[in-house]
Amino acid sequence: MPDSTPPTPRDSEADHKALRIARAMAAKEGTTPALGLEIEAAGEGHARVAMRLSPATLNGFGMAHGGMVFLLADTAFAYACNSRNVQTVAQHASISFIDAGRAGERIVAEARERAFKGRTGVYAVSVFGEDGRIIAEFQGLSRTIGGPVIEEEQE
């Protein structure tokens, strides 16, 4: 069973830097502001992002569109795997849908680094409903491509 507890807050410089990186990435994205995604937390190797399910994010059955759930999980994954300020992209990702997100519900994606070696990282992302139920489990494999996400003066 996956660990569904949020990471213990740390107050390190690395975590402050990771939050600055996530915010800088969000500022350059179209989807984050358009869909109202909120960065709740970010630190080295982890991130938590939330969104409210609006009518525009629902499928024909009135529940969260799978693409929106994937987008939320992928966004948390991106912030977690770029947290060391080295440009990193998804090499592979998959998702298993467990339960439906409901209209108007606020859902949260919690990304955690499971392994990091060389240029490759493995991440697990759980997407939760407001009541704590698991909506989806996402697995991501990252690959660093080099270069900083933010420049030193932004840090």
Side-chain angles (χ1 to χ4, degrees):
M1 185 164 99
D3 181 10
S4 61
T5 58
T8 302
R10 300 174 297 183
D11 195 24
S12 72
E13 181 55 35
D15 288 341
H16 289 291
K17 181 177 178 180
L19 183 56
R20 289 192 304 274
I21 291 165
R23 288 177 177 157
M25 290 175 66
K28 295 178 184 176
E29 299 167 356
T31 53
T32 294
L35 294 173
L37 275 62
E38 301 170 33
I39 301 167
E40 290 191 343
E44 192 170 287
H46 67 90
R48 190 172 56 245
V49 181
M51 73 181 291
R52 175 89 41 203
L53 293 172
S54 69
T57 64
L58 305 178
N59 65 18
F61 298 116
M63 60 183 90
H65 189 289
M68 296 297 119
V69 176
F70 188 97
L71 178 139
L72 180 66
D74 185 53
T75 301
F77 166 55
Y79 297 160
C81 67
N82 280 279
S83 64
R84 291 180 181 85
N85 200 29
V86 178
Q87 290 182 22
T88 304
V89 296
Q91 184 171 345
H92 176 79
S94 64
I95 194 165
S96 297
F97 299 104
I98 310 300
D99 201 349
R102 302 174 185 126
E105 184 174 26
R106 188 169 186 275
I107 61 175
V108 177
E110 178 79 38
R112 293 173 182 243
E113 184 176 88
R114 296 300 187 202
F116 182 73
K117 177 80 173 166
R119 295 177 54 204
T120 302
V122 177
Y123 295 80
V125 185
S126 297
V127 180
F128 299 96
E130 286 180 334
D131 59 3
R133 76 191 185 289
I134 295 179
I135 292 175
E137 290 290 337
F138 171 109
Q139 301 80 39
L141 180 68
S142 70
R143 186 75 171 171
T144 60
I145 58 174
V149 178
I150 61 176
E151 297 302 323
E152 293 296 322
E153 61 271 4
Q154 288 180 281
E155 293 181 28

